[in-house]
Amino acid sequence: MKPVLEVEGARKRFTLHLRDGLQLPVLDGVSLRVNAGECVALVGPSGRGKSTLMKCLYGSYAVDAGALWLQREDGERIDLARAAPREVLALRRREIAYVSQFLWALPRQPALDLVAERLLDAKSADPEADADPLDDTPYRAALEAAREQARTLLARLNLPAGLWGLPPATFSGGEQQRVNIARGLILPARLLLLDEPTASLDAANRRVVIELIREAKARGSAVVGIFHDEEVRDAVADRRIDFCA
Ligand SMILES: Nc1ncnc2c1ncn2[C@@H]1O[C@H](COP(=O)(O)OP(=O)(O)OP(=O)(O)O)[C@@H](O)[C@H]1O
Ligand SMILES: [Mg+2]
């Protein structure tokens, strides 16, 4: 069985232009493989490049050398390090989910729609050939179905129903993080990237997130995670990759 993700010798250095072009080597030939249904934890002290690797896998940063092979849903392998930007955007819509530590939200968009939108985006990547462009009935039905799924997930994550219709900008850190987790996990992604998803959560909500990550693995997602909380890491990770000095 081919791994869903295969990183081969990833290298990355930052050039600090404000410090006379000082070179900061961050990834020095990192390799790892993650199979479907498996979770690999990136472990190591602060500043060693764990989040940088995540951002390379999500296509936000380029690597200087190495390959980042993703086996797509259709069985093809694509090197994320060399993929065209539009291919990366298409993969983000359907196959790669990223839960960063910070919530990204459009101003004025309610939390519920921020989560439901993930499902609609994935659906719109695959339009029906014979759809009538002037008939919005299928869109409305899809929107309501997506909102219903989003409500179920937000309820599981104990986000008070009174907040669902509000934009998350004013939410507490833990509330924003739960919206972010719901957005990242509502879709069964092939590759799930989790950067400290439980950092601002209480014990009860950490347990819900552990359950959700286990369910994602059971559905066949390959998970790469950074978990400072050892209890969460032990509960979900099958292997660890050490980022040492
Ligand atoms: N865009 C950037 N430009 C310059 N330097 C950067 C950039 N992003 C990260 N770095 C530097 O790269 C190093 C690795 O950062 P990274 O965020 O990957 O660390 P980390 O292992 O995730 O740490 P933590 O456990 O604290 O989250 C740090 O020294 C950081 O300052
Ligand atoms: Mg980090």
Side-chain angles (χ1 to χ4, degrees):
M1 184 177 62
K2 282 272 179 214
V4 172
L5 178 71
E6 190 163 17
V7 175
E8 293 172 343
R11 289 179 190 277
K12 171 83 184 161
R13 58 176 59 217
F14 291 109
T15 305
L16 304 181
H17 297 287
L18 294 178
R19 293 183 58 196
D20 294 328
L22 182 77
Q23 300 277 311
L24 183 70
V26 176
L27 301 178
D28 186 19
V30 175
S31 297
L32 61 94
R33 292 165 149 237
V34 195
N35 292 317
E38 204 179 29
C39 173
V40 169
L42 310 183
V43 182
S46 180
R48 293 293 154 77
K50 305 180 299 295
S51 297
T52 299
L53 178 61
M54 289 273 183
K55 289 174 190 166
C56 292
L57 293 172
Y58 196 55
S60 303
Y61 288 168
V63 287
D64 299 324
L68 313 170
W69 291 108
L70 176 78
Q71 191 190 41
R72 291 193 320 215
E73 219 164 49
D74 61 9
E76 288 283 308
R77 290 221 307 168
I78 180 166
D79 181 0
L80 298 167
R82 274 160 203 85
R86 62 197 304 266
E87 281 178 301
V88 173
L89 288 177
L91 289 169
R92 285 181 180 186
R93 229 175 274 130
R94 300 259 315 223
E95 305 200 30
I96 307 178
Y98 172 45
V99 178
S100 65
Q101 205 180 336
F102 306 102
L103 178 69
W104 178 90
L106 284 176
R108 297 192 296 279
Q109 188 178 31
L112 184 71
D113 285 354
L114 196 66
V115 178
E117 186 187 52
R118 274 290 285 169
L119 294 171
L120 292 177
D121 280 354
K123 217 171 147 48
S124 70
D126 195 12
E128 282 169 34
D130 55 353
D132 173 357
L134 296 179
D135 177 9
D136 71 352
T137 322
Y139 172 77
R140 286 171 180 282
L143 175 63
E144 196 33 57
R147 282 182 174 155
E148 194 49 43
Q149 251 182 280
R151 283 185 202 102
T152 306
L153 191 51
L154 290 173
R156 258 186 96 180
L157 284 158
N158 302 304
L159 192 80
L163 296 181
W164 297 353
L166 301 176
T170 56
F171 291 6
S172 75
E175 287 164 351
Q176 292 199 9
Q177 193 162 39
R178 280 175 282 155
V179 175
N180 219 9
I181 289 166
R183 188 177 156 89
L185 283 130
I186 196 159
L187 194 73
R190 271 183 83 62
L191 177 62
L192 182 55
L193 306 170
L194 304 172
D195 194 342
E196 299 190 36
T198 56
S200 345
L201 301 188
D202 57 34
N205 282 310
R206 275 203 301 274
R207 276 195 295 277
V208 177
V209 175
I210 289 173
E211 274 173 28
L212 290 171
I213 297 171
R214 286 182 167 163
E215 287 169 22
K217 287 172 63 183
R219 297 191 296 211
S221 293
V223 185
V224 180
I226 303 170
F227 311 101
H228 278 172
D229 184 323
E230 285 182 21
E231 183 198 328
V232 178
R233 190 194 303 153
D234 291 347
V236 299
D238 302 287
R239 283 182 295 119
R240 54 189 276 166
I241 302 287
D242 284 289
F243 280 59
C244 301

